[in-house]
Amino acid sequence: MTLRSILIHPDPRLKKVCDPVPELTDEIRKLADDMLATMYDAPGIGLAAPQVGVMKRVFVMDCVKEKDAAPEPMVMINPEVTWHSDETNVYEEGCLSIPEQYAEVTRPAEVRMKWLGLDGQTHEEQFDGLWATCAQHEFDHLNGKLFIDYLGPMKRKMITRKMEKLKRERARSGAAKDPIL
Ligand code: K1U
Ligand code: ZN
């Protein structure tokens, strides 16, 4: 298991639509393993493959909030949203590709998703609460969409400028160097 570097916005790879996974391979199993480890290490509650520079339709999440509860890692390959509620929910979202920036985003309160699991089976499940918010945030990543795309242009530009500055500082200090990316 390898910790992978997380891309920071703005990066053209975070704006692209990812490719479906044609078959379950050891490469995908390793990717999922690495992504879960990277997500827990960050720490975060979700992570999508393009955030680690892999343009495939895979994301992981674990929204268990209680400190001592058992982890509930989920790996979704080729996810589809098969239903969403009309009722919406507002949540102050963050993103590991946009560190330390948070903003309220309105999304459907419940979603039903269908995906291919690491067991090779098709799964379908309904999510609510933070699980629903996170699943939609990660699904957006696979379509090149970030939570700041739901904000007004002024706020989005301000956050983007902050991230450009952060990237310049990280490049100067050598923190962004990584052999995987
Ligand atoms: O996709 C990502 O960038 C991960 C992101 C997921 C997310 C957060 C909030 C709402 C929707 C989706 C994060 O995990 S940001 C970090 C975070 O929220 C968190 C970190 C530690 C403990 C609890 C939450
Ligand atoms: Zn994100």
Side-chain angles (χ1 to χ4, degrees):
M1 168 202 84
T2 313
L3 293 182
R4 305 210 185 190
S5 271
I6 298 174
L7 298 178
I8 302 299
H9 165 74
D11 186 295
R13 288 167 285 186
L14 294 173
K15 299 304 299 170
K16 290 204 174 112
V17 176
C18 295
D19 301 319
V21 174
E23 59 169 337
L24 202 50
T25 59
D26 284 348
E27 188 200 334
I28 295 295
R29 288 189 191 93
K30 163 98 174 95
L31 172 67
D33 246 33
D34 289 355
M35 284 172 59
L36 279 169
T38 305
M39 178 191 80
Y40 287 125
D41 179 72
I45 55 171
L47 188 69
Q51 293 181 277
V52 294
V54 177
M55 306 313 292
K56 296 197 165 107
R57 300 189 77 79
V58 179
F59 73 73
V60 298
M61 64 174 176
D62 184 346
C63 299
V64 169
K65 276 196 222 143
E66 302 74 29
K67 212 165 178 265
D68 298 320
E72 285 181 36
M74 298 198 76
V75 177
M76 294 203 185
I77 301 164
N78 297 337
E80 291 167 46
V81 177
T82 54
W83 173 85
H84 66 78
S85 60
D86 291 334
E87 187 200 340
T88 56
N89 210 0
V90 181
Y91 193 87
E92 185 162 67
E93 298 193 13
C95 180
L96 295 175
S97 294
I98 310 176
E100 287 167 36
Q101 303 300 316
Y102 303 90
E104 286 190 344
V105 177
T106 304
R107 300 183 187 269
E110 290 183 70
V111 283
R112 197 165 179 82
M113 299 194 86
K114 197 171 159 177
W115 70 95
L116 176 70
L118 282 178
D119 57 2
Q121 303 296 307
T122 300
H123 298 255
E124 191 162 14
E125 210 176 298
Q126 197 155 313
F127 297 98
D128 61 13
L130 184 55
W131 287 91
T133 299
C134 188
Q136 291 173 83
H137 176 115
E138 301 312 328
F139 185 77
D140 273 354
H141 272 301
L142 306 185
N143 292 324
K145 192 159 182 175
L146 301 172
F147 83 89
I148 55 169
D149 295 325
Y150 293 93
L151 310 180
M154 297 262 282
K155 188 110 199 269
R156 188 165 59 240
K157 198 158 229 169
M158 193 189 76
I159 291 177
T160 299
R161 289 217 176 104
K162 281 189 188 164
M163 291 301 104
E164 284 166 343
K165 184 161 177 265
L166 175 73
K167 285 174 79 167
R168 280 198 300 276
E169 285 164 2
R170 284 190 179 185
R172 263 204 301 277
S173 73
K177 292 195 177 68
D178 189 305
I180 287 182
L181 290 175

